[in-house]
Amino acid sequence: MKSFSDSYKAAGVDVTAGYKAVELMKEHTRRTMIPGVLSGLGGFGGLFGLDVSGMKEPVLVSGTDGVGTKIRLAQLMGRHDTIGIDCVAMCVNDIVCAGAKPLFFLDYIACGKNVPEKIASIVSGVAEGCVRSGCALIGGETAEHPGVMPDDDYDLAGFTVGVVDKEKILDQSSVQAGDAIIALPSSGIHSNGFSLIRRVFDLEGKGDFYSPELGANLFETLLTPTNLYVKPVLRLMDKVPVHSVCHITGGGFYENIPRALPQGLSAKIEKKNVRVLPIFDLIAKEGNVPEHDMFNTYNMGVGMCCILPSDKADEAIRVLKGADQEAYVLGEVVESGEGVILW
């Protein structure tokens, strides 16, 4: 007998919609299949065979995150096919900071009402993020929450697992005074600080509109997906002795860069070196946001930093550009206990 429940449907949960959503997802998840995947969607767990050949002491590295209130912008625009890229990026960009290669990803979608086409659109973005970072989407969960969330509302979170040989794990211990700090530019806001953005621009109830300062539509600019840095950074680690890596997320420069530095050392950065994107200038102007708060909330145009010997900086930039990732020297590591010196 086919699975259905009219009683559960009357209570707000349509299990048949869930089955349809899974079927629609499969065309997207197939794009992410890599060696090691042992199961498809629909089981009780995602299976992955770990190949540790060539590793002396493999270590699993995990990360989990969501996309914050950026998801509200996707809902306001009625565009759901990019927010999944953000979700993947927020997780895999974190674990690559330890030197880990992402292996697989799982997502969790909570929604007021399961509209299969919308759920499949969200998952298409998740799949795209997995393809760009070289990992597999091996499972997930979609949960209807009638009475808890409005019908049109949803939230998205994700989880990833990667692997790195223990002797290649990156931490702050090898960072030295005189090291160069290499900036990998961001695509825009990425996925942090949207509660402030929604206040500054009063987005509720508005449609997208052209911004002369940006030379583009505001909503479209804000919704630009987070860059995925996994492949270029892993390539860099193969070619150049990278000492430390940091992902610039919530907390901006002041919270994230110190996490890649040992005690007693600081990042010295000239403001003129930071290639600030126009969207950040517009936020500061429209919201009257102080410069310190901007650098303490947003990436300001720098999505990731790699710290390495100064005599390897030019080579690092060439390697990254060869991997289709722009890069430039942002600053240097100095002996000081201040964390970030921005001048």
PDB file of all heavy atoms in Angstrom, residues 57-72:
ATOM      1  N   GLU A  57      48.208   9.419   9.261  1.00  0.00           N
ATOM      2  CA  GLU A  57      47.281   9.458  10.398  1.00  0.00           C
ATOM      3  C   GLU A  57      46.099  10.360  10.052  1.00  0.00           C
ATOM      4  O   GLU A  57      46.093  11.542  10.391  1.00  0.00           O
ATOM      5  CB  GLU A  57      47.990   9.967  11.655  1.00  0.00           C
ATOM      6  CG  GLU A  57      47.210   9.743  12.929  1.00  0.00           C
ATOM      7  CD  GLU A  57      48.006  10.089  14.178  1.00  0.00           C
ATOM      8  OE1 GLU A  57      49.211  10.392  14.060  1.00  0.00           O
ATOM      9  OE2 GLU A  57      47.416  10.062  15.270  1.00  0.00           O
ATOM     10  N   PRO A  58      45.102   9.805   9.351  1.00  0.00           N
ATOM     11  CA  PRO A  58      43.969  10.634   8.917  1.00  0.00           C
ATOM     12  C   PRO A  58      43.146  11.161  10.091  1.00  0.00           C
ATOM     13  O   PRO A  58      42.903  10.438  11.057  1.00  0.00           O
ATOM     14  CB  PRO A  58      43.140   9.682   8.047  1.00  0.00           C
ATOM     15  CG  PRO A  58      43.528   8.316   8.504  1.00  0.00           C
ATOM     16  CD  PRO A  58      44.963   8.408   8.922  1.00  0.00           C
ATOM     17  N   VAL A  59      42.758  12.418   9.979  1.00  0.00           N
ATOM     18  CA  VAL A  59      41.931  13.066  11.003  1.00  0.00           C
ATOM     19  C   VAL A  59      40.682  13.620  10.332  1.00  0.00           C
ATOM     20  O   VAL A  59      40.773  14.303   9.307  1.00  0.00           O
ATOM     21  CB  VAL A  59      42.706  14.209  11.694  1.00  0.00           C
ATOM     22  CG1 VAL A  59      41.792  14.951  12.673  1.00  0.00           C
ATOM     23  CG2 VAL A  59      43.942  13.673  12.402  1.00  0.00           C
ATOM     24  N   LEU A  60      39.530  13.315  10.895  1.00  0.00           N
ATOM     25  CA  LEU A  60      38.274  13.869  10.387  1.00  0.00           C
ATOM     26  C   LEU A  60      38.054  15.258  10.976  1.00  0.00           C
ATOM     27  O   LEU A  60      38.285  15.490  12.156  1.00  0.00           O
ATOM     28  CB  LEU A  60      37.097  12.961  10.739  1.00  0.00           C
ATOM     29  CG  LEU A  60      37.109  11.572  10.110  1.00  0.00           C
ATOM     30  CD1 LEU A  60      35.901  10.770  10.577  1.00  0.00           C
ATOM     31  CD2 LEU A  60      37.134  11.654   8.585  1.00  0.00           C
ATOM     32  N   VAL A  61      37.602  16.177  10.135  1.00  0.00           N
ATOM     33  CA  VAL A  61      37.321  17.550  10.553  1.00  0.00           C
ATOM     34  C   VAL A  61      35.881  17.868  10.169  1.00  0.00           C
ATOM     35  O   VAL A  61      35.478  17.638   9.027  1.00  0.00           O
ATOM     36  CB  VAL A  61      38.277  18.549   9.864  1.00  0.00           C
ATOM     37  CG1 VAL A  61      38.017  19.966  10.361  1.00  0.00           C
ATOM     38  CG2 VAL A  61      39.733  18.162  10.095  1.00  0.00           C
ATOM     39  N   SER A  62      35.101  18.369  11.103  1.00  0.00           N
ATOM     40  CA  SER A  62      33.678  18.623  10.830  1.00  0.00           C
ATOM     41  C   SER A  62      33.339  20.089  11.023  1.00  0.00           C
ATOM     42  O   SER A  62      34.029  20.823  11.734  1.00  0.00           O
ATOM     43  CB  SER A  62      32.790  17.771  11.752  1.00  0.00           C
ATOM     44  OG  SER A  62      33.045  18.070  13.111  1.00  0.00           O
ATOM     45  N   GLY A  63      32.269  20.512  10.389  1.00  0.00           N
ATOM     46  CA  GLY A  63      31.808  21.890  10.515  1.00  0.00           C
ATOM     47  C   GLY A  63      30.318  21.974  10.244  1.00  0.00           C
ATOM     48  O   GLY A  63      29.780  21.214   9.434  1.00  0.00           O
ATOM     49  N   THR A  64      29.651  22.875  10.928  1.00  0.00           N
ATOM     50  CA  THR A  64      28.219  23.061  10.726  1.00  0.00           C
ATOM     51  C   THR A  64      27.876  24.543  10.804  1.00  0.00           C
ATOM     52  O   THR A  64      28.519  25.307  11.527  1.00  0.00           O
ATOM     53  CB  THR A  64      27.399  22.273  11.778  1.00  0.00           C
ATOM     54  OG1 THR A  64      26.001  22.375  11.483  1.00  0.00           O
ATOM     55  CG2 THR A  64      27.651  22.789  13.181  1.00  0.00           C
ATOM     56  N   ASP A  65      26.865  24.962  10.033  1.00  0.00           N
ATOM     57  CA  ASP A  65      26.485  26.375  10.035  1.00  0.00           C
ATOM     58  C   ASP A  65      25.176  26.526   9.268  1.00  0.00           C
ATOM     59  O   ASP A  65      24.680  25.577   8.643  1.00  0.00           O
ATOM     60  CB  ASP A  65      27.570  27.230   9.389  1.00  0.00           C
ATOM     61  CG  ASP A  65      27.635  28.650   9.944  1.00  0.00           C
ATOM     62  OD1 ASP A  65      26.607  29.112  10.507  1.00  0.00           O
ATOM     63  OD2 ASP A  65      28.686  29.304   9.812  1.00  0.00           O
ATOM     64  N   GLY A  66      24.640  27.723   9.311  1.00  0.00           N
ATOM     65  CA  GLY A  66      23.477  28.076   8.514  1.00  0.00           C
ATOM     66  C   GLY A  66      23.803  29.306   7.693  1.00  0.00           C
ATOM     67  O   GLY A  66      24.974  29.603   7.446  1.00  0.00           O
ATOM     68  N   VAL A  67      22.792  30.058   7.294  1.00  0.00           N
ATOM     69  CA  VAL A  67      23.026  31.263   6.495  1.00  0.00           C
ATOM     70  C   VAL A  67      22.491  32.514   7.175  1.00  0.00           C
ATOM     71  O   VAL A  67      22.460  33.579   6.581  1.00  0.00           O
ATOM     72  CB  VAL A  67      22.408  31.124   5.088  1.00  0.00           C
ATOM     73  CG1 VAL A  67      23.108  30.018   4.326  1.00  0.00           C
ATOM     74  CG2 VAL A  67      20.914  30.847   5.158  1.00  0.00           C
ATOM     75  N   GLY A  68      22.067  32.369   8.442  1.00  0.00           N
ATOM     76  CA  GLY A  68      21.586  33.524   9.178  1.00  0.00           C
ATOM     77  C   GLY A  68      20.356  34.151   8.535  1.00  0.00           C
ATOM     78  O   GLY A  68      19.587  33.492   7.828  1.00  0.00           O
ATOM     79  N   THR A  69      20.177  35.445   8.764  1.00  0.00           N
ATOM     80  CA  THR A  69      18.971  36.106   8.272  1.00  0.00           C
ATOM     81  C   THR A  69      19.072  36.507   6.803  1.00  0.00           C
ATOM     82  O   THR A  69      18.159  37.128   6.272  1.00  0.00           O
ATOM     83  CB  THR A  69      18.631  37.338   9.132  1.00  0.00           C
ATOM     84  OG1 THR A  69      19.705  38.269   9.089  1.00  0.00           O
ATOM     85  CG2 THR A  69      18.371  36.923  10.571  1.00  0.00           C
ATOM     86  N   LYS A  70      20.162  36.118   6.132  1.00  0.00           N
ATOM     87  CA  LYS A  70      20.210  36.282   4.680  1.00  0.00           C
ATOM     88  C   LYS A  70      19.076  35.503   4.035  1.00  0.00           C
ATOM     89  O   LYS A  70      18.604  35.849   2.942  1.00  0.00           O
ATOM     90  CB  LYS A  70      21.558  35.787   4.138  1.00  0.00           C
ATOM     91  CG  LYS A  70      21.732  36.005   2.632  1.00  0.00           C
ATOM     92  CD  LYS A  70      23.138  35.629   2.163  1.00  0.00           C
ATOM     93  CE  LYS A  70      23.347  35.963   0.693  1.00  0.00           C
ATOM     94  NZ  LYS A  70      24.736  35.701   0.247  1.00  0.00           N
ATOM     95  N   ILE A  71      18.626  34.472   4.720  1.00  0.00           N
ATOM     96  CA  ILE A  71      17.553  33.646   4.184  1.00  0.00           C
ATOM     97  C   ILE A  71      16.272  34.459   3.991  1.00  0.00           C
ATOM     98  O   ILE A  71      15.466  34.160   3.107  1.00  0.00           O
ATOM     99  CB  ILE A  71      17.312  32.427   5.097  1.00  0.00           C
ATOM    100  CG1 ILE A  71      16.787  31.259   4.285  1.00  0.00           C
ATOM    101  CG2 ILE A  71      16.409  32.751   6.285  1.00  0.00           C
ATOM    102  CD1 ILE A  71      16.999  29.914   4.920  1.00  0.00           C
ATOM    103  N   ARG A  72      16.113  35.500   4.797  1.00  0.00           N
ATOM    104  CA  ARG A  72      14.922  36.347   4.654  1.00  0.00           C
ATOM    105  C   ARG A  72      14.934  37.076   3.311  1.00  0.00           C
ATOM    106  O   ARG A  72      13.886  37.273   2.690  1.00  0.00           O
ATOM    107  CB  ARG A  72      14.845  37.351   5.809  1.00  0.00           C
ATOM    108  CG  ARG A  72      13.635  38.274   5.766  1.00  0.00           C
ATOM    109  CD  ARG A  72      12.339  37.493   5.750  1.00  0.00           C
ATOM    110  NE  ARG A  72      11.171  38.362   5.627  1.00  0.00           N
ATOM    111  CZ  ARG A  72      10.001  37.973   5.158  1.00  0.00           C
ATOM    112  NH1 ARG A  72       9.820  36.705   4.768  1.00  0.00           N
ATOM    113  NH2 ARG A  72       8.985  38.811   5.073  1.00  0.00           N
TER     114      ARG A  72
END
